[in-house]
Amino acid sequence: MANLKSIRVRFAPSPTGYLHVGGLRTALYNYLFARKHKGVFVLRIEDTDRTRYVEGAVENLIETLHWAGLEYDEGPVKGGSYAPYIQSQRLEIYKRHVDMLLEKRKAYRCFCTPERLEEMRKQQEKIGASSKYDRRCLKLIQSEIQANLSKGVPFVVRMKIPDVPTIQFNDIIRGKVEFASEMLDDQVLLKSDGYPTYHLANVVDDHLMDISHVIRGEEWLSSTPKHVLLYQHFGWQLPVFAHLPLLLNPDRSKLSKRQGDVAVEDYRAKGYLPEALINFVAFLGWNPGTEQEFFYFDELINQFLLEHVNKAGAIFNIEKLNWMNFEHLRKKSDEDVLQLLRSELAQSRYKHVHFDDDYLQRVITAMRDRVSFINDFIEKSPYFFEAPVEYDKEVVKKRWKKDAPNHLKKLVEEFLQLQNPRKEDYETALHRTAESLKISNGQLIHAARLAVSGVGAGPGLYDILYILGKEESVQRINTAIEKIKSV
Ligand code: GLU
């Protein structure tokens, strides 16, 4: 047994196929708490609801946590001294514990058919009573139970809610919490298929895995009195509870798919940086008590306090996430951005094109302040990765005057004179050309920009020319002269 003071926390998702941002927040708070207190962060898979089983969900979950930087210490694949960490592999353990409760008469077998339960529910509804098992099977005598068992009548095991007025417990975030016992149903602990329900498996595992703190979402708060009773029935010490606030849409409704993405995988696919998503999610219910909003992981570990988590629902504000992404990207070194751009390119339509590090580095310097996402490098300035295939019609209309082809021909002549031009050399050459043509620099700049990039905005023209190089720039201008019909 671990020493009682050691901190052990767990993230215990059901493998539903994706990681909800609320789940990421729960995992993060558990992780921060464990790291801060030099404790252990356990990943446990709660897959006892076989109707919700999704192929590949566990692998996906582990991969997504890894992407987010939340490495667990014990869990599936990695193992640990409390293995197995997948509940469907622990059925024997739950069975044994149910037997203990049956023996102590803290639980009982219920042979009621689904039809009878449905009928009962309808009756209760009719008279406006809350839906609760009527305890018919609690009254069965031993011989009736035996008879049913020998006939093989299917049964579930229910816990017996004791006749006490209230059930109380402490929650770090909410203080003293109290539930009236009459609100509680005789909860099913073991289903007729031999699988435990969430409640039983969760409590048994938290105890056997020496979990010191149960940190989870508010939606589980109403289950906690049943869990508290189970701890008491088994004669076990309670863990410390902390129920995290709900996540809300900006209109204060419960965070839902209808108002935006809820899967971490969606944010990942959209190109959000894990650091930014983590920074953002950390603030969904917690704040450091100062003005600081930009946090690196290490700073979160240092400053995170469970006591500073709020009770009130936390609003999910996508603008704030976008701002954090922009900030985290902005603060990255050029080398880091280069790596990210390389992996983005490897998944893009340019995956077969080779670009030198030097080249990409120059693109990064020119575009850094204009992007919020790595993918923006490609989407906002595709002309750095391929010659324009078409030209923005609006810009052609406005900027491509009748004599643009002649002007640009002259510009090309000037450019061809340059030896290893730097940015400034393009500028001087363009000024010289404009002067000899007696037109404004601007007129020539607009036409040249359209010719080399296909669009009307972006970084400075001389930056673009310098990045593309003389040969490519000249070639693009010549192509544009051929292709753009003046209007
Ligand atoms: N399996 C539950 C879930 O899917 C775990 C709740 C808890 O942490 O106790 O979130």
Side-chain angles (χ1 to χ4, degrees):
M1 280 296 228
N3 133 24
L4 278 182
K5 286 201 201 77
S6 67
I7 300 284
R8 289 178 55 84
V9 292
R10 79 323 187 255
F11 175 48
S14 297
T16 52
Y18 67 94
L19 178 58
H20 192 283
V21 284
L24 180 67
R25 198 256 325 248
T26 301
L28 174 64
Y29 286 14
N30 275 285
Y31 176 89
L32 294 175
F33 185 72
R35 289 293 169 270
K36 172 146 190 163
H37 298 284
K38 311 265 175 288
V40 174
F41 175 52
V42 176
L43 174 64
R44 183 174 74 222
I45 304 296
E46 303 209 327
D47 61 344
T48 57
D49 185 350
R50 300 317 278 171
T51 56
R52 290 173 69 199
Y53 180 76
V54 178
E55 188 72 38
V58 176
E59 292 74 8
N60 177 59
L61 200 91
I62 292 178
E63 160 55 24
T64 307
L65 287 174
H66 173 74
W67 171 80
L70 304 180
E71 296 302 341
Y72 58 90
D73 304 307
E74 295 172 19
V77 186
K78 230 175 224 178
S81 35
Y82 298 79
Y85 294 91
I86 299 186
Q87 289 189 327
S88 57
Q89 297 170 10
R90 299 171 62 83
L91 300 183
E92 265 315 302
I93 300 175
Y94 309 127
K95 177 81 183 32
R96 220 167 50 230
H97 283 83
V98 165
D99 288 343
M100 280 159 61
L101 292 179
L102 284 170
E103 198 139 306
K104 291 183 175 182
R105 297 189 179 282
K106 303 289 189 193
Y108 59 95
R109 292 185 182 82
C110 170
F111 298 91
C112 291
T113 60
E115 294 74 33
R116 165 163 201 272
L117 294 176
E118 183 53 26
E119 188 50 36
M120 178 195 80
R121 204 187 54 76
K122 275 194 194 139
Q123 290 304 326
Q124 287 167 338
E125 203 168 74
K126 211 184 261 171
I127 59 167
S130 58
S131 140
K132 229 165 120 173
Y133 180 57
D134 61 6
R135 293 191 154 176
R136 181 199 260 194
C137 290
L138 183 59
K139 296 164 203 115
L140 293 179
I141 54 172
Q142 202 50 38
S143 57
E144 291 171 309
I145 297 173
Q146 276 315 324
N148 279 339
L149 288 178
S150 45
K151 272 190 279 176
V153 180
F155 65 88
V156 300
V157 175
R158 292 181 181 275
M159 76 185 279
K160 195 175 139 201
I161 302 293
D163 296 329
V164 290
T166 61
I167 295 143
Q168 301 170 356
F169 54 91
N170 274 313
D171 183 289
I172 299 191
I173 298 163
R174 282 147 219 278
K176 189 168 138 191
V177 183
E178 195 172 63
F179 280 85
S181 311
E182 61 167 17
M183 306 285 291
L184 305 178
D185 198 3
D186 280 358
Q187 178 66 50
V188 174
L189 299 177
L190 193 73
K191 294 176 276 185
S192 53
D193 61 3
Y195 277 82
T197 54
Y198 153 72
H199 307 280
L200 178 81
N202 188 269
V203 166
V204 167
D205 285 347
D206 281 346
H207 173 72
L208 295 182
M209 294 180 180
D210 282 328
I211 298 302
S212 60
H213 292 69
V214 168
I215 305 169
R216 62 183 170 202
E218 178 176 321
E219 59 273 34
W220 303 102
L221 186 65
S222 58
S223 298
T224 308
K226 295 175 191 170
H227 300 182
V228 168
L229 286 173
L230 281 174
Y231 281 98
Q232 289 171 359
H233 288 345
F234 283 118
W236 295 338
Q237 197 190 344
L238 285 181
V240 177
F241 290 107
H243 287 90
L244 310 175
L246 290 177
L247 299 187
L248 307 175
N249 293 309
D251 67 2
R252 302 202 70 84
S253 58
K254 198 172 166 211
L255 187 68
S256 69
K257 252 188 182 153
R258 249 173 299 131
Q259 299 200 26
D261 291 318
V262 292
V264 173
E265 291 84 342
D266 291 335
Y267 290 97
R268 181 181 180 180
K270 288 196 169 153
Y272 286 93
L273 295 168
E275 304 89 313
L277 190 61
I278 287 291
N279 189 165
F280 171 71
V281 164
F283 272 75
L284 294 175
W286 167 86
N287 69 72
T290 62
E291 294 289 294
Q292 185 182 353
E293 287 198 294
F294 182 94
F295 275 81
Y296 288 116
F297 225 129
D298 288 353
E299 299 174 287
L300 286 174
I301 294 172
N302 276 330
Q303 297 200 32
F304 182 79
L305 277 181
L306 219 36
E307 288 79 1
H308 280 181
V309 174
N310 310 311
K311 276 196 284 227
I315 300 213
F316 192 97
N317 176 350
I318 191 86
E319 262 101 64
K320 188 156 172 190
L321 171 59
N322 290 340
W323 173 81
M324 281 182 170
N325 206 68
F326 179 78
E327 285 298 306
H328 276 271
L329 187 54
R330 205 166 61 90
K331 292 210 165 75
K332 278 192 178 295
S333 68
D334 280 352
E335 297 81 76
D336 285 350
V337 176
L338 176 64
Q339 291 316 318
L340 291 169
L341 178 56
R342 278 229 173 271
S343 52
E344 192 69 33
L345 282 166
Q347 298 166 48
S348 74
R349 54 190 182 274
Y350 306 118
K351 58 172 171 269
H352 301 302
V353 190
H354 174 76
F355 300 101
D356 291 338
D357 278 359
D358 274 358
Y359 181 79
L360 294 180
Q361 206 59 264
R362 272 179 275 161
V363 173
I364 290 168
T365 310
M367 291 297 294
R368 277 207 78 133
D369 293 339
R370 300 165 180 270
V371 299
S372 301
F373 296 92
I374 288 292
N375 165 24
D376 285 348
F377 281 108
I378 301 176
E379 296 311 321
K380 288 194 172 172
S381 54
Y383 46 84
F384 285 129
F385 308 99
E386 66 178 331
V389 271
E390 52 190 25
Y391 303 87
D392 185 319
K393 288 199 185 63
E394 285 303 306
V395 185
V396 171
K397 210 172 189 179
K398 214 161 136 207
R399 304 293 192 193
W400 194 262
K401 300 290 182 252
K402 209 167 92 237
D403 32 14
N406 288 333
H407 293 163
L408 287 180
K409 273 181 199 151
K410 190 86 186 67
L411 183 65
V412 164
E413 277 167 31
E414 285 287 344
F415 281 176
L416 287 172
Q417 308 287 318
L418 302 172
Q419 300 298 326
N420 295 325
R422 311 283 310 165
K423 191 175 139 181
E424 310 74 61
D425 302 324
Y426 289 105
E427 185 169 5
T428 323
L430 186 136
H431 286 185
R432 218 170 21 238
T433 315
E435 203 174 323
S436 73
L437 290 168
K438 302 202 170 30
I439 57 170
S440 71
N441 292 335
Q443 203 176 325
L444 203 47
I445 290 174
H446 292 310
R449 173 189 287 287
L450 179 65
V452 295
S453 73
V455 291
L461 172 68
Y462 310 118
D463 285 307
I464 301 181
L465 295 169
Y466 172 63
I467 292 169
L468 294 176
K470 184 172 94 176
E471 211 177 304
E472 178 70 18
S473 300
V474 164
Q475 197 178 324
R476 287 187 184 191
I477 297 174
N478 284 334
T479 310
I481 293 172
E482 289 289 306
K483 280 171 81 176
I484 305 179
K485 304 277 171 278
S486 84
V487 279

